[in-house]
Amino acid sequence: MLMYPHIDPVAVQIGPLAVHWYGLTYLAAFGLFMLMGIRRLRHQPFASVVDPAPWTRKDVEDILFYGVLGVIVGGRLGYCLFYKPGFYLTHPLEIFAVWQGGMSFHGGLLGVIVAMVLFARGRRRPWLQVADFVAPCIPLGLAAGRVGNFINGELWGRFSSMDLPWGMVFPQSGSMMPRHPSQVYQFLLEGLLLFVVLWLYARKPRGQGQVAGVFLIGYGVLRFVAEYFREPDDFLGLLSLGLSMGQWLCVPMVIAGVYLWHRGRPAA
């Protein structure tokens, strides 16, 4: 088994200014989105759209701006509503204490959806066209976020067998028993694997909404699987049917993804 390497969460310290690795992974995520978005402009149908206007680099920059706001606001509100509604209902000002941690992917996803709707309305584009554009650009950013989780030594996995070669001891968990490095699993599944599947799928023309549908299905399924190896939040534990909150939140994602994919199929 392996020992967590105790990585200093501060990447650079200049006097009172501390730059954390977690913040740098967020910057990396946004940079990767911009890079992949520019490459996405070469794919159909975006390379040939002329009505109401061609897709340009400016569109990618603006989507990123809207998306960053959606991730931050939605991620924070989603955590407060999905994971600790009782606490934040009685301590509403704590919602703004983002430096204390607490972000939800599913809340961030809802925030991004709202951001895409606003962007689409402002550009007079179908919002599903915008969603199809954005979807393949997201997984590498998710991968960067999981790197940040690992560096911070947070979101560790459930206990593993003693003979698992990559089982890792996270002393900050309060136990010296080996655990699954679930951050690495999620990096590989929701990050790299989902990116490869989506990027290859999106390179060919698809029905409107199908690429976004595959993202929802792919992330929902892969996150559902990864949750079996991730330690559930101690203040929630496992919920109905022995599933975690993360797994339950993935169920409507998959259902919505199947609907979008089926809706986008060409008529027979």
Side-chain angles (χ1 to χ4, degrees), residues 2 52 90 140 190 207 216:
L2 307 173
T90 56
L140 288 183
E190 305 157 16
L216 292 175

Side-chain angles (χ1 to χ4, degrees), residues 28 41-42 45 80 98 101 110-111 120 162 176 186 201 210 244 267:
L41 293 172
R42 306 174 190 173
C80 297
V98 294
L110 292 175
M162 295 294 292
M176 297 303 290
Q186 292 185 262
Y201 182 79
Q210 285 196 307
S244 68

Side-chain angles (χ1 to χ4, degrees), residues 82-206:
F82 298 151
Y83 290 89
K84 291 185 174 181
F87 173 80
Y88 289 104
L89 185 63
T90 56
H91 303 80
L93 293 181
E94 291 294 317
I95 294 174
F96 302 100
V98 294
W99 56 88
Q100 296 179 6
M103 296 286 282
S104 161
F105 165 81
H106 296 89
L109 176 63
L110 292 175
V112 168
I113 289 174
V114 172
M116 288 190 298
V117 170
L118 294 176
F119 173 86
R121 291 181 63 181
R123 294 296 197 279
R124 293 183 297 166
R125 300 186 187 279
W127 84 270
L128 282 178
Q129 183 186 94
V130 177
D132 284 340
F133 180 89
V134 167
C137 307
I138 294 177
L140 288 183
L142 299 179
R146 295 310 177 192
V147 172
N149 293 146
F150 183 80
I151 291 174
N152 279 357
E154 60 189 6
L155 305 184
W156 49 76
R158 304 185 193 189
F159 292 120
S160 68
S161 62
M162 295 294 292
D163 57 355
L164 184 70
W166 57 85
M168 182 169 289
V169 175
F170 291 87
Q172 58 270 54
S173 71
S175 170
M176 297 303 290
M177 297 291 289
R179 295 176 177 270
H180 291 281
S182 54
Q183 314 97 322
V184 178
Y185 296 174
Q186 292 185 262
F187 167 83
L188 295 173
L189 293 176
E190 305 157 16
L192 299 189
L193 177 59
L194 184 58
F195 167 73
V196 171
V197 170
L198 268 178
W199 196 257
L200 293 177
Y201 182 79
R203 286 179 63 86
K204 296 182 179 180
R206 305 292 179 182

Side-chain angles (χ1 to χ4, degrees), residues 16 49 72 80 107 143 148 267:
V49 167
I72 295 174
C80 297

